[in-house]
Amino acid sequence: MMTKERILFISAENPFPQDSGGKLRTGNILNLLKTKYEVDLLTYRNKRGEGLQEYARGFNVHEVERTVSYRQAMLRSLYKWRNCSYLSHADKDMQGRIVTLSREHRYAQVFISHSLLGSCIDIVRRELPEAVIITDAHNFESSLSAQLVKKKQGLARLYFRLNAVWTRQDELKLMDKTSLLLATSEQDGLAFRALSAKNSHKVHVIPNFIRISDYILKPDSGKEKWIILPGNMNYFPNIHAASYFSREIYPLIKAEFPDIKWYIVGRDVHPEVAALAKKDPSIVITGYVDSVADYVRKAGVVVVPLLEGSGTRLKILEAWALKTPVVSTAIGAEGLLCEHGSNILIADSPAAFAGSVLQLLRDREHGRQLADNAYRTLLANYEAESVKEKLLSLV
């Protein structure tokens, strides 16, 4: 049997269990790469104390401990002039292991899962000057950073304005140093190409995707009178989305359906989100759950009331896989092949958003039609087999 070539895969976010959009993308790409390569996965130890081995069959797993907290990363960014996310400071913890693995295996390819890990490229380049480095940009981070500035006041606003500048500088350096850059949507691809015309040829779009085998359809036992907002509830676009929905949209829905339940399902619940349930007993905050799919499958409607963001939303793809209809803002559905009234409902004003949710709660047949069309869109464009050939031709 022919021996597979080795590839080093660096991910600052531990991708297992796959309980967020970023982890889903990272884990799904890993599963495609292992069909071609022997994969050495370098990542942080799971913070819940679980090892990767039960999830990461087929990978050689190398875990390190995180020593940089978010507060320390913010301080470090001031003298490094670097994005403040602790992902951007993974070089502090990973440098030694990157050097050791690179010297031991002399990789020809290195895959870096997140543009925020640009600082790790310098370490790889010193050890492996000829290696092909592939960077997977989950988002166009400088755009996200600029959006966050608008939500801040006083000194915090000044700090995050600087952070947006540093993030743009990080992305410019990244475009120079990486061999290939993968973007999740055509919009993000265009943004990266515009950032650096001389490096625009490096940018390729690999959309977010899922493995349909992970979403076994069960006989329809009937949807509950639930609406659901899934996602990592410590991620600022999701925090703002939950607050906006609670303030502007949910009261309009409750006026028509007083017995409605709104489930917020996701890990790392921010205090601002947790406070919503204290004010309204019809809002159920689950925190981390073993299977978000079980909640999405039962829900009458998945809501995506995002006002900021970049990339594409895996929460929508999961809803499509589970045949639950989706109502989203335009920015929430950005980058996906979707059409209002065909496979999704798009609404940007509170009244229109509430009206769309109410329409689906009242008309189950319309919801089924939307969900069936969305399922077909998913299989044709966002299922692992539909992107496998393109990804493996690049990497």
Side-chain angles (χ1 to χ4, degrees):
M1 191 170 96
M2 203 166 124
T3 304
K4 290 180 181 177
E5 187 178 356
R6 292 180 91 106
I7 187 172
L8 176 61
F9 191 107
I10 303 172
S11 176
E13 186 175 37
N14 187 305
F16 299 101
Q18 295 191 271
D19 54 11
S20 70
K23 291 183 174 189
L24 273 169
R25 179 173 176 87
T26 300
N28 289 341
I29 287 177
L30 273 167
N31 279 308
L32 290 185
L33 290 180
K34 77 179 182 182
T35 65
K36 181 177 178 180
Y37 294 98
E38 183 173 353
V39 179
D40 288 335
L41 170 61
L42 174 60
T43 189
Y44 280 109
R45 195 172 304 283
N46 188 301
K47 69 180 181 181
R48 295 207 314 274
E50 298 172 0
L52 278 182
Q53 299 301 341
E54 64 177 292
Y55 302 105
R57 299 187 187 281
F59 314 131
N60 305 306
V61 179
H62 306 271
E63 295 176 302
V64 298
E65 299 291 343
R66 187 183 299 282
T67 64
V68 180
S69 68
Y70 182 57
R71 183 178 295 275
Q72 289 169 324
M74 292 182 75
L75 291 171
R76 196 168 186 249
S77 70
L78 289 169
Y79 63 86
K80 288 285 187 179
W81 290 11
R82 187 189 297 171
N83 176 282
C84 67
S85 166
Y86 58 52
L87 273 68
S88 304
H89 299 266
D91 57 312
K92 187 173 187 294
D93 298 325
M94 292 190 168
Q95 178 166 341
R97 195 64 68 89
I98 291 171
V99 169
T100 299
L101 288 169
S102 297
R103 291 178 181 177
E104 183 177 350
H105 298 293
R106 309 309 302 174
Y107 304 100
Q109 287 90 17
V110 176
F111 193 106
I112 295 180
S113 181
H114 217 301
S115 59
L116 291 176
L117 299 187
S119 57
C120 290
I121 288 183
D122 291 332
I123 305 167
V124 174
R125 280 278 176 240
R126 284 196 298 270
E127 295 299 319
L128 304 168
E130 303 302 319
V132 174
I133 300 178
I134 305 98
T135 303
D136 184 33
H138 290 216
N139 298 293
F140 187 55
E141 292 291 339
S142 58
S143 173
L144 272 178
S145 297
Q147 292 171 43
L148 180 57
V149 171
K150 298 174 185 176
K151 303 292 182 180
K152 301 295 182 179
Q153 300 293 330
L155 286 175
R157 190 181 184 107
L158 174 60
Y159 175 83
F160 282 101
R161 185 177 287 124
L162 286 170
N163 186 63
V165 172
W166 296 332
T167 306
R168 188 174 181 85
Q169 291 172 346
D170 289 346
E171 286 173 338
L172 281 165
K173 293 174 187 175
L174 174 68
M175 289 289 284
D176 277 334
K177 294 175 182 178
T178 195
S179 307
L180 292 172
L181 186 135
L182 308 182
T184 66
S185 68
E186 293 296 339
Q187 287 90 335
D188 280 10
L190 288 170
F192 276 109
R193 292 184 187 107
L195 190 65
S196 177
K198 69 176 181 178
N199 291 307
S200 61
H201 64 283
K202 297 179 179 179
V203 180
H204 299 268
V205 175
I206 297 292
N208 279 328
F209 63 94
I210 64 173
R211 297 186 302 172
I212 199 64
S213 59
D214 293 338
Y215 300 86
I216 299 170
L217 286 171
K218 298 179 180 179
D220 186 1
S221 57
K223 298 287 190 182
E224 302 287 347
K225 199 176 286 185
W226 297 351
I227 53 180
I228 180 172
L229 172 62
N232 175 0
M233 285 301 146
N234 201 31
Y235 177 51
F236 85 84
N238 288 340
I239 298 168
H240 297 162
S243 297
Y244 164 65
F245 188 82
S246 174
R247 185 178 63 253
E248 304 289 344
I249 301 170
Y250 191 49
L252 303 178
I253 297 169
K254 281 190 71 179
E256 297 293 326
F257 281 85
D259 57 345
I260 193 75
K261 290 283 187 184
W262 172 24
Y263 280 77
I264 300 174
V265 182
R267 61 187 178 92
D268 299 337
V269 178
H270 190 276
E272 188 176 327
V273 177
L276 300 178
K278 294 177 182 176
K279 299 175 186 174
D280 187 339
S282 73
I283 301 174
V284 180
I285 297 177
T286 66
Y288 175 81
V289 296
D290 288 333
S291 175
V292 175
D294 288 343
Y295 287 83
V296 173
R297 187 182 285 112
K298 293 177 183 177
V301 184
V302 167
V303 295
V304 187
L306 287 171
L307 303 175
E308 304 110 345
S310 177
T312 57
R313 256 50 67 186
L314 273 150
K315 59 172 67 83
I316 293 180
L317 298 185
E318 290 192 293
W320 287 2
L322 295 163
K323 292 196 172 183
T324 299
V326 177
V327 179
S328 175
T329 55
I331 196 166
E334 188 176 65
L336 294 174
L337 293 172
C338 56
E339 181 182 352
H340 173 69
S342 173
N343 54 12
I344 197 169
L345 295 183
I346 303 291
D348 282 320
S349 73
F353 203 110
S356 294
V357 173
L358 290 168
Q359 181 185 353
L360 293 175
L361 291 173
R362 293 185 181 117
D363 188 350
R364 284 287 312 282
E365 182 55 34
H366 185 205
R368 271 194 289 268
Q369 290 172 0
L370 280 178
D372 286 344
N373 291 340
Y375 188 77
R376 287 190 286 271
T377 302
L378 172 78
L379 292 182
N381 301 281
Y382 304 110
E383 206 281 323
E385 288 302 315
S386 69
V387 303
K388 180 178 181 179
E389 184 178 353
K390 182 176 182 181
L391 176 67
L392 295 185
S393 71
L394 292 169
V395 182

